Amino acid sequence: MPKFPDLDAFDRAILAILQRDNTTPQRAIGEAVNLSAPAVQRRIRRMEERGVIRANVALVDPAKVGHPITIFVEVEVESERAELIDAAKRGFAAVPEVQQCYYVTGEADFILVVTVATMADYEALTRRLFFENNNVKRFRTFVAMDRVKVGMEVPVG
C-alpha cells in the first residue's frame, strides 16, 4: 500500500519543492519533476481542493516585525468537559500572539507557542488568557533562548 494513497511520486516531488519555496514557477517545478507546467498546475490545484495544500503563506521572522520573544506555555485546565475544552480551543485560537495551539495528552492539556515583543506584553497576555479564565488550573512558561529550527515542512518522500 502506498505511503500516501492519494499522492503519487509526482505529487510528492511537487510538494517537496513547494514546501521549500512556494513561489517557484510552475515551469521550473515541471522541469524538476519531468512534467509540463499545465500538468503541475492541475496537480497543485487538485491538492489545494483536497486540502493537502492548506495555504500559501509567507514565513515571517518574528524578531524582524517586533516580536523577538518566543514562549512555550503548558496549560492545565480544571475541567475537561467537552464544552470547556472547546471554549479553550476557541479562546486560544483567537489570540494573535498565539502562533500555535495543541490539545495534548499528559499532564498539560494544551501547549501554546506564543510570540511577544516584551515580557511585559507576555505578563499582560497571561492575565487575559490564564488568570481571568476560571477553567485554567495552572500554566508553565518556557522562554526560548534561541530559535534553532523553525519550520512547517512535512516529510513527503
Side-chain angles (χ1 to χ4, degrees):
M1 184 162 138
K3 193 173 190 180
F4 304 97
D6 294 339
L7 302 176
D8 64 16
F10 290 115
D11 292 331
R12 290 191 305 275
I14 291 167
L15 285 173
I17 293 167
L18 291 175
Q19 286 188 102
R20 283 190 300 277
D21 181 359
N22 77 340
T23 65
T24 304
Q26 292 174 357
R27 174 192 43 74
I29 295 171
E31 290 171 5
V33 302
N34 295 317
L35 288 173
S36 68
V40 169
Q41 182 181 29
R42 284 191 301 275
R43 285 172 175 272
I44 291 171
R45 186 178 317 116
R46 188 183 77 237
M47 288 188 284
E48 288 172 339
E49 289 168 355
R50 291 182 177 175
V52 174
I53 297 174
R54 292 181 36 217
N56 291 294
V57 299
L59 297 178
V60 176
D61 183 333
K64 294 191 176 167
V65 294
H67 286 254
I69 302 171
T70 300
I71 299 171
F72 299 85
V73 187
E74 290 181 350
V75 181
E76 186 179 340
V77 296
E78 286 284 346
S79 172
E80 293 189 52
R81 290 194 344 246
E83 66 273 9
L84 293 174
I85 292 295
D86 290 344
K89 289 178 182 179
R90 285 190 305 275
F92 296 146
V95 177
E97 295 90 347
V98 176
Q99 281 191 318
Q100 298 175 49
C101 173
Y102 299 93
Y103 179 46
V104 298
T105 62
E107 276 188 49
D109 297 298
F110 291 93
I111 302 289
L112 308 179
V113 179
V114 175
T115 61
V116 291
T118 66
M119 288 307 291
D121 291 339
Y122 179 64
E123 181 183 7
L125 183 69
T126 64
R127 291 178 186 278
R128 290 192 324 269
L129 280 183
F130 310 132
F131 292 115
E132 295 175 5
N133 185 333
N134 291 333
N135 196 35
V136 172
K137 183 176 184 178
R138 70 176 58 92
F139 68 95
R140 288 181 7 154
T141 297
F142 303 87
V143 178
M145 294 173 56
D146 188 13
R147 295 170 52 94
V148 178
K149 179 181 180 183
V150 178
M152 297 300 293
E153 192 169 328
V154 177
V156 293

